[in-house]
Amino acid sequence: MKKSLLCLVGSVLLLCSCGKRVETYSSSIPNVQQKVDEFISVKLTADLSHLSENDKKMIPILFEIGKIMDDLYWKQAWGDKDALFSAINDEALKQYVHINYGPWERLNDNKSFIQGIGAKPAGANFYPADMKKEEFNTLEDELKNDLYTIVQREEETGALKVLPYHEVYKAELTKVSELLKKAAGLSDDAGFKDYLLKRSEALLTGDYYASDLAWMSMKSNAIDFVVGPIETYEDALFGAKAAFESFILIKDKEWSDKLAHFASLLPTLQASLPVEDKYKLEVPGSDSDLGAYEVIFYGGDCNAGSKTIAINLPNDPRVHIEKGSRKLQLKNSMKAKFDKILIPISQLLIDDEQQKNVTFDAFFENTMFHEVAHGLGIKNTLNGSGTVREVLKETASAIEEGKADILGLYMVDMLTGMNELGDDQVLMDNYVTFMAGLFRSIRFGASSSHGKANMIRFNYFKEKQAFTKNEETGKYKVDFEKMRQAMIDLSNEILIIQGEGDYAKAKSMIKEKGFIQSELQADLDRIEKAGIPRDIVFKQGLEYLEL
Ligand code: ZN
């Protein structure tokens, strides 16, 4: 019988697959209920009235698949889910384990919160918990770094062996494959049908390439379905193994059309960037595939920890070269985070007069223009030393995220100038919402590339007096003119760093500005004290939908 991770880390406490005695797990932190309450619950629903009868019949099938993906992710992240839950009596503790997909706090450096369970193995359940990197390095198997394999120990010898997902999870994946075929049989959309069929094959062979290409080719489908082993964050040991997840999505046609229109303006926008011509000679593609969606189901990896509000897939670089990638903006979960988290933060930290400028439209625009703005600027340095990414090395992604943030804002400026988006009011809403959004993003630290980019911008704006802070109320106020100028100047600086491939400048910018100063930390602490939710959790299921 296969040893589960549970068995290795908690063998004296629990009956697991190798037959140890049962005891009850208890919490190692004082008030679990309070921890649970830090996650505010939101119903996932969407208008389905425009769907065809066949599409409506398909949705329960997709939910069934999504549930299997969720169960498979549990196996990858932890091991035996049922054994874990059956050893917990406390309701709040159960809920907290549920939120975290295991006994480690995902939004708190994976700290263990159950007595007797140690630190989370870096490689989750993708590798034996006792395996060291050195041992893995000596393993000779060409599939050991494959995205869709796991590493286990031989029962008898204890030697490492590599197994493909489609063998380890054969029963589940066969079931999913059949359900995908059933769903495909109901689809009236040729592109979506083709994708579902190719995906049903892929899960059985571990070769996702053709199905990824099919996913890129879909254009007119009202339902979208992300399913399979996809992201590699759960494997913190090597970042090599893909975790199962699933999103069921309903396309927001109106906003998707708007996004397509904005993307079509990219070449014009590129020409108007606030930088010398030589830094904008590359012509961006105008067919950037960007869409707005309502999510009705999150399962597995994407439902664990912080909830994604935008998807950019597939990850396969071969598909990027051939077809690019698709960017999906998840409007209803964005709205939930806006209402439940961003609004309370701005009530605490944004000037009373300017709170009216914190709007959902601006929040949505900030997020989607960030994605579009990745397409602006240039990808290759001017002196031919290589791509910006190569030359800027470990600073590349913080600088690139900073570019997308600031040019996203600059796009709003350009679009209002072109009468494409509205007037100065829209611009001011975007500035103030951008400012409030910054507090939300850096609330849990600024160590990621996005976090560093946010801090560079915050400290840059501060120097340029784009905002001021009222010492009495502790609230921040945006200065329209100075903010506009700071945005133009920072856009210019970043575009030049990328164009010149100026690694030294990138490094010093991150060093000097990419961190949280103590005064700001005090403001972030106020957010914590005010009991503003850390994140959202979803109430989801067919019962929340009108089918
Ligand atoms: Zn980005």
Side-chain angles (χ1 to χ4, degrees), residues 345 348-349 435-446 451 454-455 458 469 474 476 515-532 534:
I345 288 178
L348 205 63
L349 291 178
M435 191 71 205
L438 213 144
F439 295 117
R440 186 189 74 89
S441 311
I442 54 165
R443 203 176 147 193
F444 304 118
N454 277 314
M455 283 321 303
F458 181 88
K469 187 180 167 189
Y476 290 81
F515 65 95
I516 300 178
Q517 294 175 353
S518 56
E519 190 193 353
L520 176 61
Q521 188 54 53
D523 294 325
L524 299 176
D525 294 344
R526 280 168 62 207
I527 299 179
E528 285 326 288
K529 283 212 191 75
I532 295 169
R534 286 179 84 82

Side-chain angles (χ1 to χ4, degrees), residues 139-205:
L139 172 63
E140 280 178 34
D141 190 316
E142 58 184 21
L143 286 176
K144 72 175 186 179
N145 290 311
D146 188 276
L147 280 165
Y148 315 115
T149 61
I150 67 168
V151 179
Q152 290 183 339
R153 290 203 181 280
E154 294 280 4
E155 196 80 357
E156 313 249 293
T157 63
L160 297 178
K161 61 175 175 182
V162 179
L163 294 166
Y165 288 176
H166 56 268
E167 280 178 26
V168 186
Y169 312 117
K170 190 172 182 184
E172 292 94 335
L173 294 178
T174 306
K175 173 84 183 157
V176 169
S177 178
E178 282 162 11
L179 288 167
L180 281 167
K181 281 191 200 126
K182 197 170 154 195
L186 285 166
S187 181
D188 307 318
D189 185 278
F192 191 42
K193 186 193 281 280
D194 182 48
Y195 161 67
L196 293 173
L197 289 173
K198 294 211 162 90
R199 207 65 175 171
S200 87
E201 278 294 305
L203 287 159
L204 298 180
T205 60

Side-chain angles (χ1 to χ4, degrees), residues 141-414:
D141 190 316
E142 58 184 21
L143 286 176
K144 72 175 186 179
N145 290 311
D146 188 276
L147 280 165
Y148 315 115
T149 61
I150 67 168
V151 179
Q152 290 183 339
R153 290 203 181 280
E154 294 280 4
E155 196 80 357
E156 313 249 293
T157 63
L160 297 178
K161 61 175 175 182
V162 179
L163 294 166
Y165 288 176
H166 56 268
E167 280 178 26
V168 186
Y169 312 117
K170 190 172 182 184
E172 292 94 335
L173 294 178
T174 306
K175 173 84 183 157
V176 169
S177 178
E178 282 162 11
L179 288 167
L180 281 167
K181 281 191 200 126
K182 197 170 154 195
L186 285 166
S187 181
D188 307 318
D189 185 278
F192 191 42
K193 186 193 281 280
D194 182 48
Y195 161 67
L196 293 173
L197 289 173
K198 294 211 162 90
R199 207 65 175 171
S200 87
E201 278 294 305
L203 287 159
L204 298 180
T205 60
D207 180 0
Y208 291 85
Y209 180 61
S211 66
D212 280 347
L213 287 177
W215 190 67
M216 287 303 303
S217 306
M218 303 187 315
K219 296 287 172 216
S220 49
N221 47 311
I223 302 178
D224 207 323
F225 189 40
V226 173
V227 60
I230 296 175
E231 303 289 355
T232 56
Y233 308 111
E234 187 67 16
D235 173 8
L237 191 61
F238 293 111
K241 304 299 173 197
F244 285 100
E245 68 178 356
S246 148
F247 295 90
I248 306 174
L249 306 139
I250 308 295
K251 190 185 269 177
D252 179 331
K253 180 97 173 48
E254 189 190 329
W255 265 100
S256 295
D257 289 348
K258 271 195 216 178
L259 292 177
H261 173 66
F262 292 136
S264 75
L265 300 173
L266 271 175
T268 317
L269 295 167
Q270 171 87 342
S272 337
L273 292 179
V275 70
E276 253 184 278
D277 285 348
K278 63 178 179 178
Y279 297 107
K280 46 187 178 184
L281 287 179
E282 290 177 16
V283 180
S286 56
D287 55 352
S288 166
D289 195 335
L290 195 62
Y293 294 80
E294 308 283 7
V295 197
I296 52 173
F297 180 81
Y298 280 75
D301 192 37
C302 61
N303 197 36
S306 186
K307 304 294 181 292
T308 314
I309 53 177
I311 303 174
N312 188 353
L313 285 173
N315 289 329
D316 188 341
R318 293 173 302 171
V319 180
H320 293 176
I321 293 164
E322 214 168 315
K323 293 214 168 215
S325 67
R326 287 178 56 208
K327 298 160 190 75
L328 291 70
Q329 308 288 309
L330 313 183
K331 211 154 159 267
N332 55 343
S333 25
M334 239 181 247
K335 180 76 165 66
K337 290 208 188 196
F338 177 81
D339 290 340
K340 310 287 186 195
I341 302 173
L342 193 65
I343 287 291
I345 288 178
S346 50
Q347 284 164 349
L348 205 63
L349 291 178
I350 298 291
D351 176 77
D352 291 346
E353 277 288 291
Q354 294 189 342
Q355 273 174 34
K356 62 176 186 303
N357 298 108
V358 180
T359 67
F360 177 67
D361 276 0
F363 184 58
F364 185 63
E365 284 156 11
N366 281 179
T367 317
M368 74 174 180
F369 287 133
H370 169 105
E371 293 300 336
V372 182
H374 274 300
L376 292 170
I378 50 180
K379 307 284 177 226
N380 299 291
T381 58
L382 295 189
N383 64 11
S385 55
T387 64
V388 173
R389 176 154 289 280
E390 285 160 5
V391 176
L392 294 187
K393 294 182 273 195
E394 84 284 358
T395 68
S397 58
I399 297 294
E400 174 62 22
E401 291 311 326
K403 181 201 82 177
D405 280 334
I406 200 72
L407 291 188
L409 196 58
Y410 187 73
M411 280 182 69
V412 179
D413 192 287
M414 290 188 278

